[in-house]
Each structure stands twice: as C-alpha cells, then as structure tokens.
Amino acid sequence: MIKSLLIANRGEIAIRIAQTASDMGIAVYCIQTNREANALYLDYADEIISLEENPNGSIFLNVEELIRICKENKIEAIHPGYGFLSESPYLASRCKDEDILFIGPDEKAIYTMGNKGMARNLALKSNIPVLEGSTSNITNFKDAKYWADKIGYPIIMKAVAGGGGKGMRIVRSSDELELMYKLVVNEAKSAFNDDSLLIEKYVENPKHIEIQILADKHGNAVHLYERECSIQRKHQKLMEEAPSTVLTNELRNKMGEMALYLCKKIKYHTLGTVEFLVDKDMNFYFLEMNTRVQVEHPITECITGINLIEQQIKTAVGEPLEFKQSDVKIKGWAIELRVNAEDVQADFSPTPGIIDKMQFPDCSYLRVDTGFESGKLIPPSYDSMISKLIITGNDRQEAIENAIAIIDNLVIKGVKTTIPFFKSVLNHPDYIDGSYNTSFISEKLDKPYYQEQDEEKAAAIMALQAYLKENQNIEKNMVHEDSSVWASKMRSKLF
C-alpha cells in the first residue's frame, strides 16, 4: 500500500478522499491556494502545500506543477477526484513516466472512453445498443448536414471531448441546424480545445441511468448496480437516486453485464461509470463512460455498503477485488441532493458569498458531504456546490419522506441555495411515483421552487396589494402634475 497521496482537488471531494486515505494509514497532502486560503478541506491534510494561483489558470489544471509537487515532496500517488484533471490522459501518462501512481485507469482507457466518438464505436463493436448516429468525427457543417438529414430530426450534437453537459445541443429541424452547429463548435473549442462533434438521434423524454463498475488489475470486475440521474437542467445533474424505479432485476443485470463487458474490452481498472439512456419502451442505449469517481457516488455506497474511494485506491495500487458479483446486494434506498449556491428564481444564477450560518439535522438517515461550514466563503472562481445531502430510507417512500424532513429543518443563511428547488421536486407527483424523466424540469415543473397553497394565496394577495398601491401612487403623481401645469398657465395669464 502507498504511504503518501496528493489530492489534486478541493472542496467536499478533497475531504472525502482525505478521510478515507487517513483511515488507510496514508499521509494526505493538500494544496492551499490564495483563492481559498482558509478552505475547510485543508483541515483534513497531514501536509499543506501553499501555492499562488496563476490568474490565467488553476493549479488544479497544471499537470507539470502537480508532478513537480510530488517529486519534490516524495509523494507516491495523485488522486484527481472529479472534474479538473480527473479524466486527463496526459496526467495519467506523466504520472506513469515519473513513477507516480495515478489513482484511476491508465491513459489509454481514459483517452478511448473520454472521446465520445471512440467510446461509441467501441460499444458498437461490443454489440452494446447505441443510438443511430455519425460513424466518424464531424469537423465541418457539410458533414453535419449530411448526417442530420440521414438520421432524421430530432438529433443531438455533442462535442466528442465534452463532459459536464457542455457542448451539447438538441436540433429539432433543419432550420436550426446551422446556428446550433456554430454554437456547439464554439463551445467545444472554448471548453475542450477540440471542436469536432458527433451527431446522434435524439431520444425524447428518456431516463438517464448509469451503472457503477469496479475492476482490478487482475481481470476481476463487478458492477455495483445503478443510479438514476434523470433530474437534469441543461444536461447537468441536480439530484440522483439509487436504485432506479424502472429497472427490473433482469434489465438491471443485463445493463450491468454489458457495462462490465465494455470495460473488459479495454482492460479497465479502478472505478468507472457507464451511462445509458432508457426510452419509454425500456430499450437502453450506451451514452458515454466516465473514467473517474462520480459526484453522486455516495448513494451507491449507501445501498451497497462499499466504500468506493477505498476500493478505488486499493485497485489502483494493484490489490485484487475483495468480493464477487454475488456478494454485492442492494439494501434500502438513497437520494442525493446537490445543494448549490444558486438563485433558482434567477435561472439558477450563482450566488457566491459568505455562509453566515449552516446547520443540518443530526439524524441516522442523513449523510452530509461538504467543503464548507459557517463563516466560510464560497468563491466565485470555482463551482457553486455547497454540499451534498445523502438521505437514506428502508424503501423509496421513506427516503423521500426523510428528504423532505431534512430540507424542512436545515439552515443555510447568507447565500441563496437550490433547496427550494428540491422541495418542489420531492413534492411533485411525477417524482413521487417515479415516472419522471430528463424533460421533467422543462415540461413538468411549473416553477423551480415549492409553495404551499396558503403561501401561494398570500403571495398573490401581496402582489395585488403592491399593484394597487403602485397605481394609487401613479394617479397621485398625475393629479399633482396636472395641477402644476394648470397653476403655471394661470400665473402666465395673470402676470
């Protein structure tokens, strides 16, 4: 086992990794930046390395600087967490060159599965269902039009190097194609420095289901069942649950087996997630693979009892899996709420600032993964996530009830958050019965926050009162102006 680890990340995932690494007897190194000099994650480090952030880029995106830190401090391994360089084949390759252990798969697997076109072709060759789509990367509008006409609308255009919901556009008619093509190309070039695209048939109102896999370097692999990620806004996940409400055991096992087959084709090891779309007829299609730990990994830990970060480190080191597929069982239900510092009434715009007070209920069915506490600053230079609330129950109904109780009793002051959105979702009949899909927010949610009927009536009365008062003020001003004009005319006549 390794004795030292650099966490090339920040926030809650840095804390999550540090806690497990410390429990495993591994010395933890964290990076302190001037953007977050007093960040909470630094409290979990055995050693802190202080660096000045370059205004032109984050230290967490600087491969050579991370390698230098490891070499100078004789650190044995790098854990990239999620985001930043977690899916960088170059970082994995440089670690290999310098005899530093990269906690993740090898550079070839990252490169292959990180390119949506290559991953799609691999799935095709593996006889895994994929949506009808382009067979090679699209680099010009002429090819985009050819494939769009061939496949038939609606289609979806994706940046081949994309992720996190970026570089994706739905096109419903040929009239939209050129504009959408330009938007995707520009976004892909800006975000990923690669403007090549692929086009696929767009599935209306699917379920988004992902399969968690875990593999070692000895040819052993298991799937840890699924997570449902269909509550999305602009292709970005906002809340998840495990297991899914729609999968039968037969379909669950079939999807899991196909995910494992795909991973074995590329000799994949450590953690990974294979994502699928499931249509209304319960047909499923390969979407993409994420070669890292996912933000939503805690709900899988809750229903399986398996510490994914611990297993990720162990398999990266070279230890064999400690269990077989038959040992992995689903127990209970789990829901994750990504609490962001965002104003849901202003189109989810970020609201960075200082958290005046943050307090969560103390109960057995709540796990809080957070990178902040009261008095800490949410900086504008990073993502807006404050915490992840992971709520469990013996079944789905109990998990939902527990989640509602949690959000009714937590306290976050100083910044606006997405809590009102979660309350709206958790009380919606389509979420309660499990029939929701990826179009839920755009087609089913009247407003992104929840109000009781009495609250709605009170809000309507207050709005009416404000409207009447405003009208009265306008009328008074008009009378005053008319009187002033009349008086001025009379004075001019008299004098």
Side-chain angles (χ1 to χ4, degrees):
M1 180 53 64
I2 56 173
K3 295 181 179 179
S4 55
L5 175 69
L6 173 66
I7 300 175
N9 218 303
R10 56 172 290 281
E12 65 85 16
I13 190 60
I15 293 174
R16 173 72 187 86
I17 296 165
Q19 288 173 323
T20 291
S22 295
D23 290 343
M24 297 172 70
I26 302 168
V28 172
Y29 289 72
C30 286
I31 299 171
Q32 181 186 46
T33 71
N34 52 311
R35 297 181 188 179
E36 285 187 297
N38 299 308
L40 183 62
Y41 71 89
L42 299 171
D43 294 347
Y44 293 79
D46 297 299
E47 298 286 343
I48 296 173
I49 298 167
S50 299
L51 295 172
E52 286 287 327
E53 284 261 58
N54 184 333
N56 297 321
S58 171
I59 178 60
F60 300 118
L61 293 171
N62 191 327
V63 172
E64 295 307 325
E65 186 69 0
L66 295 174
I67 295 296
R68 182 193 66 79
I69 290 169
C70 287
K71 298 291 285 185
E72 287 188 2
N73 294 276
K74 298 180 180 180
I75 303 170
E76 296 177 69
I78 292 179
H79 197 308
Y82 55 69
F84 294 122
L85 292 171
S86 60
E87 293 180 283
S88 167
Y90 182 63
L91 175 59
S93 176
R94 289 291 291 119
C95 284
K96 185 178 179 181
D97 292 343
E98 299 293 343
D99 199 28
I100 299 166
L101 180 66
F102 178 77
I103 306 298
D106 61 39
E107 69 274 17
K108 184 179 178 181
I110 297 173
Y111 178 76
T112 301
M113 302 314 293
N115 182 294
K116 285 183 167 61
M118 294 177 69
R120 185 180 186 280
N121 288 336
L122 179 63
L124 268 172
K125 292 177 182 177
S126 304
N127 294 317
I128 295 173
V130 298
L131 294 163
E132 183 182 1
S134 53
T135 56
S136 59
N137 290 354
I138 294 169
T139 57
N140 58 72
F141 179 70
K142 182 180 177 182
D143 287 347
K145 188 176 187 310
Y146 168 80
W147 282 108
D149 291 341
K150 181 178 174 62
I151 296 167
Y153 296 93
I155 59 165
I156 184 166
M157 291 191 290
K158 304 176 182 178
V160 296
K166 296 178 180 178
M168 299 173 66
R169 288 292 188 282
I170 300 164
V171 186
R172 297 190 176 279
S173 70
S174 59
D175 295 338
E176 302 174 352
L177 184 64
E178 186 170 5
L179 173 61
M180 292 301 182
Y181 174 79
K182 290 177 180 177
L183 289 173
V184 175
V185 165
N186 291 338
E187 189 170 317
K189 184 69 174 176
S190 174
F192 314 113
N193 198 32
D194 182 351
D195 60 4
S196 52
L197 316 175
L198 67 82
I199 291 178
E200 288 181 327
K201 185 69 176 179
Y202 177 66
V203 178
E204 299 281 5
N205 308 328
K207 288 275 196 177
H208 186 145
I209 308 290
E210 60 186 29
I211 304 293
Q212 178 71 66
I213 65 99
L214 175 64
D216 63 23
K217 295 181 178 180
H218 307 280
N220 306 305
V222 296
H223 68 80
L224 306 179
Y225 303 107
E226 80 278 4
R227 296 184 289 258
E228 166 118 20
C229 310
S230 299
I231 301 294
Q232 302 178 6
R233 178 181 173 272
K234 297 181 179 179
H235 307 292
Q236 294 188 321
K237 303 165 187 173
L238 298 176
M239 57 189 289
E240 304 88 7
E241 63 178 307
S244 169
T245 59
V246 297
L247 296 194
T248 62
N249 283 333
E250 180 182 1
L251 185 56
R252 175 177 290 119
N253 290 328
K254 186 176 182 180
M255 292 173 70
E257 288 166 6
M258 287 198 170
L260 290 178
Y261 182 72
L262 184 66
C263 293
K264 288 179 179 179
K265 289 282 284 187
I266 55 172
K267 298 180 180 179
Y268 192 90
H269 64 267
T270 69
L271 287 181
T273 302
V274 181
E275 306 201 5
F276 296 93
L277 294 180
V278 180
D279 67 19
K280 59 183 177 60
D281 298 316
M282 301 309 292
N283 301 306
F284 65 90
Y285 306 94
F286 171 78
L287 182 62
E288 64 182 10
M289 182 176 184
N290 291 309
T291 57
R292 54 172 168 79
V293 65
Q294 295 278 84
V295 175
E296 59 272 19
H297 77 274
I299 54 176
T300 296
E301 293 182 322
C302 288
I303 67 166
T304 63
I306 296 170
N307 184 326
L308 297 190
I309 300 298
E310 179 184 23
Q311 294 302 318
Q312 185 185 28
I313 294 172
K314 286 183 174 180
T315 51
V317 168
E319 293 187 13
L321 283 182
E322 302 169 346
F323 42 82
K324 304 185 296 294
Q325 187 65 58
S326 58
D327 298 324
V328 184
K329 307 293 184 184
I330 295 176
K331 184 179 180 181
W333 212 280
I335 297 170
E336 178 179 279
L337 311 179
R338 302 189 188 190
V339 181
N340 295 334
E342 296 173 354
D343 185 350
V344 297
Q345 292 182 285
D347 199 30
F348 289 80
S349 60
T351 58
I354 295 174
I355 301 173
D356 294 333
K357 183 178 181 181
M358 186 165 70
Q359 185 175 324
F360 301 103
D362 183 13
C363 53
S364 61
Y365 51 81
L366 173 65
R367 165 180 161 180
V368 180
D369 285 14
T370 183
F372 299 95
E373 61 185 359
S374 299
K376 294 294 185 181
L377 170 70
I378 301 171
S381 48
Y382 295 118
D383 69 81
S384 60
M385 188 163 68
I386 301 173
S387 63
K388 301 183 309 196
L389 306 184
I390 303 97
I391 303 105
T392 57
N394 291 319
D395 54 32
R396 188 169 187 268
Q397 181 178 343
E398 184 176 85
I400 292 174
E401 291 171 355
N402 289 344
I404 293 171
I406 290 296
I407 62 177
D408 281 344
N409 290 282
L410 61 78
V411 176
I412 301 178
K413 294 182 178 180
V415 294
K416 292 185 177 181
T417 75
T418 47
I419 290 297
F421 166 78
F422 298 129
K423 191 169 184 179
S424 181
V425 174
L426 290 165
N427 283 278
H428 195 284
D430 283 20
Y431 184 82
I432 293 170
D433 67 19
S435 64
Y436 67 96
N437 54 55
T438 56
S439 68
F440 174 79
I441 292 177
S442 60
E443 295 186 7
K444 297 290 186 176
L445 209 58
D446 294 332
K447 50 182 176 286
Y449 55 92
Y450 181 76
Q451 281 184 318
E452 300 284 357
Q453 286 190 352
D454 289 345
E455 290 177 340
E456 290 184 351
K457 289 178 182 177
I461 291 169
M462 289 174 67
L464 178 60
Q465 289 174 337
Y467 172 76
L468 294 174
K469 185 176 181 180
E470 181 65 22
N471 275 0
Q472 287 174 352
N473 291 336
I474 291 170
E475 289 173 0
K476 286 179 181 178
N477 289 335
M478 288 175 65
V479 170
H480 176 72
E481 288 172 4
D482 289 345
S483 300
S484 298
V485 170
W486 178 83
S488 177
K489 288 180 178 178
M490 288 303 294
R491 281 194 297 270
S492 66
K493 287 181 179 180
L494 290 171
F495 299 102

